Amino acid sequence: MRESRLKLAAGYVALLIISVMFIVPFVWLLRSSVMDLSQIFIMPPEWLPRPFHFDNFKNAMTVVPFGAFFKNTLIIVVSVLLGTVVSSTVAAFGFSRIRWKGRDMVFAILMSAMMLPGAVTLIPSFLGWKTLGFYDTFYPLIVPAYFGGGIFNIFLLRQFYLTIPQDFDEAAFVDGANYFQIYWRILLPLSRSAVIVVALFTFLGSWNDFMGPLIYLKSDSRFTLALGLQMFQGSYTAQWDLLMAASAAVVLPCVVVFLVGQRYFLEGITLTGLKG
Amino acid sequence: MGIPALEGHSALETQALRKRKHARERKALFYGLLFTSPAILGFLIFTLGPMIASFYLSLTDYNVFKSNTTFIGFDNYAKLFSGEDDLFYQSLGTTFYFVVLRVPAVIIISFFMALLLNMNVKGRSVFRTIIYLPSIVPAVASSMIWLWLLNPDLGLVNSVLQKLHLPTSNWLFGESSVIPSIVLTSLWGIGGTVIIFLAGLSGIPKQYYEAIDVDGGNWFHKLRHITIPMVTPTIFFNTIMTIIGSFQVFSEAYILTQGGPNNKSLFFVFYLWRTAFRDTEMGYASALAWVLFIIILIFTVIIFKTSKSWVHYEGDKA
């Protein structure tokens, strides 16, 4: 009994230490983003800004057109989100609720593509988009989402659909429903939490994407936040106060989305890990 | 022919039945393909097509700024392995070093963090949130933070080490410390792996531990004989995912160091990107991509093959 209480106390202390280590970079980011440049480099570091410099955010915006970057990012993220949700739920329906010849083989082939490193398809895809005249547009970043929405998402949704009793579909069939109605009226409402998981991960993936915009976008005016921040870092290395304000502005939407959808995130990771 | 006599159908009825079944199957096939067609098309257009094109490109000397492209067979591959390209070996070595350092670190640390989170401490969900949160931070932003925290002169880490009278480091600017430093920064994003381990741990039936209690075993016996064997499927999954991810690290390499200092952090995919998009040697870069694919494939196959001897699935005994 005493041993286990001791163990619990030790675990508690260990968790506290780890949490502090995980949180310090966040605190560093936040305090620096509202600090004066003269206070930022004081050693040993000060943690409380005196006074709070909220105009760092405004100044960062005027040095670099973050407003435009934000709009670009939003256009891409929303389009990708829409395409992924529609396309992956439809595909997962076809791979789980309809029994057709060759289904499992086709699915296995698609799954095997997950093994392929992105680097292999990178160059021909780039050349293809360029040949079609879509270099320096958002299309290469958006269109693929409408073609399946990523096999991993299909896999995740299919796992979920398979847990829903097939009787539901059969009952609906007897009542004269067709496949589209079953998909729309039965499967989608029943799998809302799985769809939210897919949507959340897609949001983060698209918001955080760096390599895609780096390769496909050329004009500054079409840059995304991730790319803009990198450009900012390249040219304003000394202005850590503005750099941190810009970084905080890129991070905060992710944090808000995570905190709001926390339950689904943890559920989703668990689902993918367990059934992997 | 079936066994119509048994079911009492006449030949005519059977035929009608079969016809209807056939029609139903045709309808299912049609709708099945209809629903999955975007995904199948996507696979053909964005995976299989580029894959074939990439292999073909790797057999040519395609360069964006050269007017004519010639088919050169396996010359690109021969050049890679002939030792002519120092940077190829450099980037391969760097990437292997990174993988060898990072994968065990990620697996061991996240396993122990999951063990801690699995204890019955108060505020578990708060700790879980804190540990998971950094893994959602965009690579660009987390790289900015770490660039500064690890700055040799202005960074927090060296300042703390100095205060504790511990040796400081050049971190990302030191030739021997750059890869360990990048591994260190990547550990900040370990949360997803921890959560998967946590899910694996929570699936272990309590009775197993009670049995050890009855036998008078301590926590180490529990860890050794129950916890570790029971989470081997999770260890297996996490190891494969971490290896695949580690071989392909790009954004961090690009933002943190751009391959420096002195090419000591020239990661394979970064070198590939540079060859393709800065030097515009796209044929040669395609050969690099295929080498990466083969390496990842070999590692995955090895892990899969050895997994039979160390991964235990419940109900495996039969």
Side-chain angles (χ1 to χ4, degrees), chain A residues 3-4 7-12 14-16 18-26 28-29 31-32 40-41 43-45 47 87 89-95 98-102 106 109-110 112-127 129-130 143-144 146-148 152 154 173 178-180 183 201 204 207-211 214-215 225-227 229-230 233 240-241 243-244 247 250-251 254-256 258-259 262 265-266 269-270 272-276, chain B residues 24-25 27-43 45-51 53-55 57 62 64 113 116-117 119-125 127-142 144-149 151 153-156 159 163 187-193 195-196 199-200 218-219 222 234 237 240-241 244 248 250-251 254-255 258 269 272-273 276-277 281-283 285-286 289-290 292-293 296-297 300:
Chain A
E3 189 208 46
S4 89
K7 216 178 81 183
L8 215 60
Y12 203 69
L15 275 176
L16 272 175
I18 291 171
S19 299
V20 168
M21 281 163 57
F22 269 65
I23 248 177
V24 161
F26 271 113
W28 187 261
L29 169 73
R31 68 119 215 182
S32 315
I40 235 173
F41 294 118
M43 284 290 165
W47 293 95
S87 160
T89 52
V90 165
F93 182 84
F95 281 121
I98 306 175
R99 245 181 266 279
W100 45 283
K101 220 176 148 197
V106 171
I109 292 172
L110 260 60
S112 67
M114 273 203 319
M115 271 286 302
L116 193 73
V120 171
T121 53
L122 181 72
I123 294 165
S125 304
F126 171 80
L127 293 173
W129 284 112
K130 206 178 158 201
V143 172
Y146 287 78
F147 286 86
F152 192 71
I154 300 176
F173 260 129
N178 61 32
Y179 284 118
F180 290 102
Y183 160 77
F201 280 114
L204 282 189
W207 184 274
N208 296 356
D209 185 21
F210 178 69
M211 200 192 211
L214 177 73
I215 282 166
L225 281 173
L227 213 51
L229 188 58
Q230 151 67 21
Q233 187 244 343
W240 284 102
D241 50 344
L243 199 54
M244 286 298 122
S247 302
V250 174
V251 172
C254 293
V255 173
V256 170
F258 169 69
L259 292 178
Q262 204 189 135
F265 269 102
L266 300 177
I269 298 168
T270 308
T272 56
L274 284 179
K275 306 280 170 81
Chain B
R24 211 168 346 121
E25 271 174 10
K27 193 179 154 207
L29 181 64
F30 173 77
Y31 280 101
L33 284 174
L34 186 69
F35 274 92
T36 57
S37 57
I40 294 170
L41 275 175
F43 169 77
I45 299 170
F46 296 110
T47 303
L48 191 63
M51 201 175 154
S54 163
F55 186 64
L57 275 174
Y62 183 74
V64 177
M113 276 163 60
L116 287 173
L117 282 175
M119 291 172 67
N120 207 7
V121 292
K122 272 212 180 88
R124 246 162 46 131
S125 60
F127 287 124
R128 206 175 49 184
T129 304
I130 290 172
I131 286 168
Y132 184 68
L133 203 55
S135 61
I136 62 157
V137 171
V140 194
S142 70
M144 296 297 156
I145 303 172
W146 285 105
L147 265 174
W148 191 12
L149 288 174
N151 186 299
D153 308 315
L154 310 165
L156 177 68
S159 138
K163 211 148 192 204
L187 291 179
W188 195 44
I190 214 171
T193 316
I195 302 295
I196 294 176
N218 59 25
W219 67 271
K222 290 179 186 169
T234 317
F237 175 80
I240 295 240
M241 297 312 270
I244 293 178
Q248 300 187 68
F250 173 78
S251 306
Y254 182 98
I255 301 155
Q258 292 264 332
V269 176
L272 189 156
W273 170 85
F277 294 96
E281 295 280 359
M282 294 203 165
S286 298
W290 277 90
L292 179 70
F293 180 30
I296 292 178
L297 201 65
T300 315

Side-chain angles (χ1 to χ4, degrees), chain B residues 22-87:
Chain B
H22 198 67
R24 211 168 346 121
E25 271 174 10
R26 283 244 306 257
K27 193 179 154 207
L29 181 64
F30 173 77
Y31 280 101
L33 284 174
L34 186 69
F35 274 92
T36 57
S37 57
I40 294 170
L41 275 175
F43 169 77
L44 296 176
I45 299 170
F46 296 110
T47 303
L48 191 63
M51 201 175 154
I52 295 165
S54 163
F55 186 64
Y56 176 75
L57 275 174
S58 79
L59 305 176
T60 71
D61 62 354
Y62 183 74
N63 183 326
V64 177
F65 290 119
K66 238 177 60 181
S67 50
N68 60 327
T69 298
T70 34
F71 185 83
I72 55 170
F74 284 92
D75 281 7
N76 282 330
Y77 295 92
K79 186 181 160 198
L80 282 176
F81 290 105
S82 68
E84 199 183 319
D85 182 358
D86 293 341
L87 292 181

